[in-house]
């Protein structure tokens, strides 16, 4: 068979194996894995690593934050930056406004994405107003191929424990995954008020205002709620060793609990918040940056399998009045936009510091950067692996290319990881067999990315957590989860 495109002689890496082979692509899909394949077009991948394209599963694009600030990146700049960072698809958030129906939220994000994205995309639906009408409408999101929901346990957009139970239950019924931002709101408010009333207002006090114990308490509670509903839960951006231990324990018990951490928690510390002249505001994100001991513990949990995913939590707010200073400069730490960019840095950082420094294997790198996200968010085996019949979403990496991190392709005016020496960069990224990035250039146009219709979360390997009080056999026959 003559293929549309052949990737020749590369070292192929999946979440499980590493082997030398050609990849033959036809009609946007992987058609053949073999030797001496024939193609109308050929990319020489000698000395290169050929991996599934990254799937960025946590990023904020063309989205108003809980504080009402629009991200600097839209689907064009955000997807271009993602692609230069080795991703061939991404899943940003579609954020429901209070009072808005699910169908209106999805329609709005379709308008924001469909003529702009250069790579394939889907959305997680952020639920801020889960009233009964919205819960009744949730099955419609599944019909549209949107099978994951995010809720906050803090911010004005937070949900109550009862609301979280309701969402978990509906999501479970349809095979979806509920994602949670876990910080105890009252603990944060109390600490923030105590600090500001005593005059501690600079950006650096963002870190003590959001103590690790507030995350630990909320993670513990979220896991308990997930166990009560026996429903899958993804705890996003875990930033504390104890939080990670709680997740590891729940998984050991078989509970449907998943988690992710992010590069900022393993490469930056709260000392970055202490930079002069409001520079610290660049490093305000929530949960906040911690310390070196935390970095080491989180690496152990990455290597040990606690975290299914390392995501960027790319939340791009420029260092000006459009972003960080949307409230002006003369405010306390609560008044700056929360979040930092990282969509283009996530995979190079994890490759350079993770794989090349021996902290994780190259196969773990693939699992953490694409395969596990595809499995959890209903995209495997179409995306996230190098298998016959899968979309030809592929990243070719040069493991020897060394660059100092500087300006990225996003719409940001700073890079929190600037100046780091990074070895190993993606040189070619394909989405459904089309070159998105090659030779340092973009080869597609806005709108070439397609919406990804997603399926159920894969829960295999976990047993769930049936409690005696929710089991008809031991609760006098009551059917709670009909
Ligand atoms: O500070 C952050 N991470 N901002 C983005 C919104 C969120 O909570 O994920
Ligand atoms: Zn969050
Ligand atoms: Zn986020």
């Amino acid at each position: 068979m003559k293929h549309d495109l052949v990737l020749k002689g590369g070292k192929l890496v999946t979440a499980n194996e590493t082997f030398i082979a050609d990849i033959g692509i036809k009609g946007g899909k992987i058609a053949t894995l073999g030797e001496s394949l024939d193609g109308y077009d050929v990319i020489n991948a000698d000395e290169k690593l050929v991996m599934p394209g990254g799937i960025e599963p946590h990023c904020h694009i063309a989205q108003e934050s809980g504080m009402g600030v629009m991200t600097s990146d839209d689907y064009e700049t955000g997807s271009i930056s993602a692609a230069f960072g080795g991703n061939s698809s991404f899943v940003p958030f579609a954020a429901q406004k209070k009072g808005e129906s699910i169908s209106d939220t999805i329609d709005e994000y379709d308008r924001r994405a469909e003529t702009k994205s250069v790579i394939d995309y889907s959305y997680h639906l952020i639920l801020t107003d889960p009233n009964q009408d919205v819960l009744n409408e949730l099955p419609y999101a599944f019909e549209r191929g949107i099978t994951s929901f995010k809720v906050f346990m803090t911010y004005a957009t937070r949900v109550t424990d009862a609301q979280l139970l309701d969402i978990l239950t509906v999501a479970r019924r349809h095979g979806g995954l509920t994602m949670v931002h876990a910080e105890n709101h009252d603990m944060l408010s109390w600490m923030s008020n105590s600090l500001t009333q005593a005059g501690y207002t600079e950006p650096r006090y963002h870190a003590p205002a959001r103590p690790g114990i507030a995350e630990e308490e909320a993670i513990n509670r979220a896991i308990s709620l997930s166990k009560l509903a026996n429903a899958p839960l993804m705890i996003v951006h875990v930033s504390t060793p104890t939080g990670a231990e709680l997740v590891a324990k729940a998984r050991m018990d078989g509970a449907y609990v998943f988690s992710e951490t992010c590069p900022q928690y393993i490469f930056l510390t709260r000392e970055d918040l202490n930079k002069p002249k409001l520079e610290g505001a660049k490093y305000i994100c929530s949960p906040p940056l911690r310390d070196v001991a935390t970095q080491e513990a989180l690496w152990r949990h990455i290597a040990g399998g606690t975290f299914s995913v390392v995501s960027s939590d790319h939340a791009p707010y420029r260092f000006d009045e459009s972003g960080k200073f949307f409230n002006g400069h003369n405010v306390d730490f609560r008044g700056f936009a929360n979040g930092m960019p990282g969509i283009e840095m996530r995979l190079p950082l994890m490759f350079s510091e993770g794989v090349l420094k021996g902290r994780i294997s190259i196969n773990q790198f693939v699992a953490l950067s694409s395969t596990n996200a595809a499995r959890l968010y209903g995209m495997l085996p179409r995306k996230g692996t190098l298998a016959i019949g899968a979309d030809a979403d592929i990243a070719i990496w040069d493991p020897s290319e060394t660059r100092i991190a500087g300006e990225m392709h996003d719409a940001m005016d700073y890079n929190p990881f600037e100046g780091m020496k990074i070895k190993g960069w993606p040189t070619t990224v394909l989405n459904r067999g089309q070159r998105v990035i090659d030779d340092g250039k973009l080869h597609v146009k806005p709108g070439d990315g397609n919406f990804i219709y997603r399926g159920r979360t894969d829960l295999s390997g976990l047993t769930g957590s049936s409690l005696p009080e929710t089991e008809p056999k031991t609760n006098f026959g009551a059917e709670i989860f009909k």
Side-chain angles (χ1 to χ4, degrees):
M1 167 170 33
K2 192 147 181 176
H3 301 89
D4 301 335
L5 173 64
V6 170
L7 312 184
K8 273 223 167 287
K11 191 188 268 187
L12 275 50
V13 190
T14 70
N16 296 309
E17 299 95 8
T18 308
F19 54 102
I20 308 265
D22 296 350
I23 300 185
I25 297 166
K26 213 169 166 52
K29 298 204 176 281
I30 296 177
T32 317
L33 301 174
E35 281 176 4
S36 309
L37 301 185
D38 199 10
Y40 293 103
D41 188 6
V42 173
I43 294 178
N44 178 8
D46 259 358
E47 313 284 317
K48 304 267 175 63
L49 298 169
V50 179
M51 304 192 258
I55 299 174
E56 169 59 72
H58 183 156
C59 53
H60 301 269
I61 305 290
Q63 185 214 315
E64 296 89 352
S65 70
M67 290 169 155
V69 195
M70 181 52 104
T71 56
S72 65
D73 279 310
D74 63 10
Y75 273 80
E76 183 174 336
T77 58
S79 63
I80 291 172
S81 187
F84 274 100
N87 298 286
S88 53
S89 60
F90 66 161
V91 190
F93 294 92
Q96 181 203 23
K97 296 201 178 90
K98 288 252 182 221
E100 191 173 54
S101 72
I102 299 298
S103 59
D104 283 351
T105 306
I106 297 173
D107 288 348
E108 174 58 28
Y109 278 83
D110 280 347
R111 281 191 288 277
R112 294 180 189 192
E114 63 197 356
T115 59
K116 297 219 164 197
S117 189
V118 302
I119 56 174
D120 289 354
Y121 62 92
S122 179
Y123 330 107
H124 313 287
L125 193 60
I126 294 182
L127 295 172
T128 57
D129 193 7
N131 57 48
Q132 196 54 52
D133 288 344
V134 167
L135 290 173
N136 292 343
E137 208 198 342
L138 268 195
Y140 172 75
F142 290 94
E143 282 168 31
R144 296 269 299 253
I146 295 169
T147 57
S148 45
F149 308 97
K150 182 180 179 193
V151 294
F152 293 93
M153 295 171 85
T154 184
Y155 298 128
T157 48
R158 68 191 174 280
V159 296
T160 65
D161 291 355
Q163 287 173 322
L164 182 43
L165 282 167
D166 283 340
I167 293 165
L168 282 162
T169 306
V170 180
R172 163 201 146 118
R173 197 173 295 139
H174 292 271
L177 181 58
T178 306
M179 309 159 77
V180 65
H181 175 132
E183 287 184 288
N184 176 307
H185 184 76
D186 284 353
M187 289 166 94
L188 306 184
S189 297
W190 184 82
M191 279 298 283
S192 298
N193 289 337
S194 307
L195 286 158
T196 51
Q197 278 160 18
Y200 302 112
T201 57
E202 290 88 348
R204 61 178 173 268
Y205 294 108
H206 175 76
R210 300 181 88 106
I213 199 163
E215 178 180 277
E216 293 157 21
E217 188 285 324
I219 288 179
N220 194 37
R221 186 157 35 101
I223 289 174
S224 302
L225 297 171
S226 137
K227 284 181 167 177
L228 180 59
N230 197 18
L233 178 73
M234 159 61 77
I235 299 163
V236 296
H237 49 47
V238 173
S239 69
T240 53
T242 302
E245 279 159 28
L246 290 165
V247 171
K249 167 80 174 63
R251 290 175 61 77
M252 283 292 289
D253 295 343
Y256 296 136
V257 173
F258 305 93
S259 66
E260 54 161 45
T261 190
C262 313
Q264 45 274 39
Y265 303 115
I266 49 177
F267 296 111
L268 305 172
T269 69
R270 65 169 73 96
E271 289 308 317
D272 291 294
L273 285 157
N274 198 16
K275 297 203 164 138
K277 290 204 196 149
L278 294 184
E279 283 277 307
K282 291 179 177 173
Y283 300 89
I284 288 183
C285 63
S286 296
L289 304 176
R290 310 287 184 191
D291 55 17
V292 171
T294 299
Q295 295 180 341
E296 286 162 6
L298 294 180
W299 270 119
R300 285 197 295 277
H301 282 281
I302 292 171
T306 304
F307 297 118
S308 304
V309 169
V310 175
S311 74
S312 70
D313 194 5
H314 180 75
Y317 303 106
R318 290 168 65 91
F319 195 60
D320 62 24
E321 289 72 21
S322 73
K324 286 286 170 189
F325 306 114
F326 74 106
N327 272 324
H329 290 70
N330 204 10
V331 288
D332 69 54
F333 57 81
R334 293 171 297 190
F336 304 114
N338 276 218
M340 65 173 76
I343 202 163
E344 200 168 331
M345 293 294 302
R346 169 181 79 119
L347 297 181
L349 279 167
M350 291 305 294
F351 185 86
S352 187
E353 292 293 311
V355 179
L356 295 185
K357 298 225 167 130
R359 291 172 165 127
I360 52 172
S361 73
I362 185 74
N363 308 94
Q364 284 178 301
F365 172 79
V366 171
L368 291 161
S369 51
S370 66
T371 314
N372 290 347
R375 195 186 300 286
L376 288 173
Y377 296 117
M379 293 180 271
L380 200 71
R382 192 171 139 206
K383 298 202 180 282
T385 189
L386 302 177
I388 291 171
D391 283 355
D393 283 9
I394 298 171
I396 303 179
W397 284 66
D398 181 346
S400 62
E401 184 172 337
T402 303
R403 288 187 223 155
I404 305 295
E407 209 175 308
M408 297 286 107
H409 295 81
D410 56 16
M412 286 298 292
D413 52 359
Y414 74 94
N415 173 359
F417 307 100
E418 184 166 350
M420 283 184 70
K421 188 172 173 190
I422 309 279
K423 190 168 174 193
W425 288 87
T427 53
T428 303
V429 173
L430 307 180
N431 182 198
R432 284 175 284 107
Q434 297 298 314
R435 285 175 175 82
V436 179
I437 305 294
D438 198 25
D439 275 339
K441 288 192 279 294
L442 182 72
H443 292 262
V444 286
K445 48 183 196 327
D448 282 355
N450 283 353
F451 176 76
I452 309 163
Y453 187 96
R454 294 187 287 120
R456 299 169 77 89
T457 293
D458 180 349
L459 298 176
S460 48
L462 295 168
T463 54
S465 62
S466 60
L467 305 179
E469 296 82 354
T470 55
E471 279 296 309
K473 263 191 286 177
T474 40
N475 73 359
F476 310 109
E479 297 274 1
I480 314 271
F481 301 123
K482 266 208 268 225

